[in-house]
Amino acid sequence: MSRRLLLLLTLTCAVGVGTVYFPQAVSPLVVTALHASPGSAALVVTAIQIGYTAGIFLLVPLGDRLPHRPFLVTLLALTGTGLLAAGCAPGLAPLLAAAAVVGVTTVAAQVIGPLAAGLVAADRRGAVLGTLLSGSTGGMLLARTFGGTLGEWLGWRAPYLAAGAVALLLAAVLARALPVTAPTSRRPYPALLAEPLRLLRTEPELRRSCLYQAAVFGAFSAVWTCLALLLTGPAYGLGAHAVGMLALVGAVTMLCTPYAGRLVDRRGADRVNLGCLLGVLVSAAVLAAGAGGGAAGLAALAGGTLLLDVSMQSGTVANLARVYAVRPDARSRLNTAYMTCAYLGGSGGSWLGVRIYGRAGWQGVCALVALLAAIALARHLVVPHGPGARQAGGDGRGVPVPVGIGGPPTAAPPVGSAGRTV
């Protein structure tokens, strides 16, 4: 894993994740250009998100069955082609179809994580995962700005066409730059699809990592779903743009996640998880101070959301490092189980948050954040950790533990594009 390759993979993560988010900023332009209703244009965003969820379930497990280089190149080529088709769509129906294809295939970031975990030693895994996550965060934050700005200048088709060209260019570059890796599984496709559920039943370290992430991501989703209601309500009376400006505070997490990864390598995933869960708990108290409005309340919201964002993203690095060390031969299937639980937690958090806000206001949402953090923290402190806790870059005391990096002992070592062993 050279720095050049890491930078390329980080950029690919940013483009893959950004593809899911930039259509949100383009929807108003689609309404005007295609003479569609706002609800119909919003279906484009929904189609991409539903497709993305389906892609995680249907395609990501194939990362254990197929060589990574042709798999990633094919995914990016299909994404690029789908984006170009969306940019040339003559009406809303073809645009929806192209958006669904794009959503299913734009799962490159979920394939790159397991690939990168297998290309580095255990004592570097956290730092590499943190860097990749910073790319995904950057793509998520900048995608809306990219889509909205380019769309305003050149029309709604321009962001789709530009993103499609970038995806195809990345596919061509990765076809030459990615090392050759050997598949870690020969299981048939139906068995791969069923494997994430079996892993959840049999791997306690995977289950607790999923619990941590589902709880924290649920808290994160509840806050950001209800924050727009608070800022545009009587307490603040601000416009919707205020939510976007506040979201830019989260850009700091791009700098924090690589540092969190290095902490995982030195101190172990459990200590980082403990700090992150405590951070979420503290953020609930800080956010609660923002219910009153005014400059002081806005400062509390900015500080609380920043602490929540950093805790959530840093905890993700720790969880992924632990998960990828559970079964080196099944990292893509483990990632499928982990991401599915995370998205279920996020969806549940959004649903609960809106309903609690309607009954108990912002203070009720903050109480939900505290409750979710307390559940995960209780699991972390009360239930003994299994043998898998002594991994993810350390043994819990900062002592590195050697972990295989290329799959099962019988697997062939990955070979570089020039025939060199990686």
Side-chain angles (χ1 to χ4, degrees), residues 1 5-6 9-10 13 68 72 108-122 124-130 132 178-179 181 324 331 405-406 422:
M1 177 67 73
L5 178 58
L6 180 57
L9 294 177
T10 303
C13 288
H68 286 106
L72 272 172
Q110 307 305 330
V111 177
I112 286 174
L115 164 65
L119 293 179
V120 294
R124 283 192 60 210
R125 191 171 295 144
V128 168
L129 292 175
L132 294 176
L178 279 180
T181 57
Y324 289 154
R331 287 191 174 114
I405 64 172
V422 179

Side-chain angles (χ1 to χ4, degrees), residues 354-369:
V354 170
R355 278 146 187 80
I356 290 176
Y357 186 86
R359 293 173 177 267
W362 182 249
Q363 299 285 9
V365 175
C366 295
L368 173 64
V369 173

